[in-house]
Amino acid sequence: MEESKVPEGWAIKELGKVCTDMVGGGTPSTLHKEYWGGNIPWMTSAHITNRHITTGQKYITKKGLEKSASKLIPKDNLLVATRVGIGKSAINNIDVAISQDLTGLFLDKTKVSSDYACWFLTYKQRNIKSLAQGSTIKGVLRTDLARLKILLPPLPEQQSIASILSSVDSAIDTVER
């Protein structure tokens, strides 16, 4: 969207400018049984099947988290698939450790709401997929994801937009069931 067509009071920012951090994850070695079966939820991009993450796909131990590249993403942030299932995104309603297929976005809640950001990234999924590089396993670099433009209305409008979209999505789910 061109700057001249942005409604008054709205802004266009790079995604990285509305995040306090963006981190990748990893998988604890399955050769070490003591890394698995703990109480820390852990997931891959395959576990993103809707807009909210409420459980882990598997569970790891504190040692598994410490001895791997996995990172713990505090609840109410965003998870974006940047390798397998590129472009899928969800809000983590729980603290969750992530695999290398995901990027955790630590949102600056004074600039963007989790719900709005998730809806916006869902809308931009094709753009995110177009950023993928690589020959064997395609992936999106965090630096490229950070440069993705996000349209930002004021926070109250973000919350209203997200609420309307969630209501419509819920109605569609009801009809499909």
Side-chain angles (χ1 to χ4, degrees), residues 2 21 71 81 111 153-154:
E2 295 174 35
D21 204 0
K71 301 282 186 302
K111 296 178 181 174

Side-chain angles (χ1 to χ4, degrees), residues 76-91:
D76 297 327
N77 283 291
L78 283 189
L79 308 175
V80 179
T82 48
R83 279 189 11 152
V84 179
I86 292 173
K88 294 193 300 183
S89 60
I91 300 165

Side-chain angles (χ1 to χ4, degrees), residues 19 38 55 103 110 126 138 147 149 157 165 175:
C19 295
T55 63
T103 296
T110 65
R126 191 176 321 166
K138 293 204 178 284
R147 285 194 294 269
K149 302 287 189 204
E157 285 184 66
L165 291 172
V175 168

Side-chain angles (χ1 to χ4, degrees), residues 13-17 22 80 82 86 103 105 121 127-134 139-150:
K13 297 214 184 236
E14 290 184 346
L15 183 60
K17 301 285 187 208
M22 300 174 82
V80 179
T82 48
I86 292 173
T103 296
L105 306 183
L121 290 180
N127 296 77
I128 295 169
K129 284 181 181 179
S130 75
L131 299 172
Q133 311 177 21
V140 175
L141 299 173
R142 279 190 299 283
T143 52
D144 290 339
L145 186 62
R147 285 194 294 269
L148 184 74
K149 302 287 189 204
I150 182 169

Side-chain angles (χ1 to χ4, degrees), residues 6 19 75 82 134 159 173:
V6 174
C19 295
K75 74 177 193 165
T82 48
Q159 291 154 347
D173 284 348

Side-chain angles (χ1 to χ4, degrees), residues 100-160:
Q100 61 276 11
D101 296 339
L102 295 167
T103 296
L105 306 183
F106 293 70
L107 300 173
D108 180 342
K109 307 291 188 347
T110 65
K111 296 178 181 174
V112 65
S113 87
S114 302
D115 284 320
Y116 177 81
C118 190
W119 279 114
F120 195 84
L121 290 180
T122 299
Y123 169 70
K124 289 291 199 177
Q125 187 171 2
R126 191 176 321 166
N127 296 77
I128 295 169
K129 284 181 181 179
S130 75
L131 299 172
Q133 311 177 21
S135 52
T136 310
I137 297 177
K138 293 204 178 284
V140 175
L141 299 173
R142 279 190 299 283
T143 52
D144 290 339
L145 186 62
R147 285 194 294 269
L148 184 74
K149 302 287 189 204
I150 182 169
L151 183 60
L152 285 177
L155 272 171
E157 285 184 66
Q158 289 179 34
Q159 291 154 347
S160 294

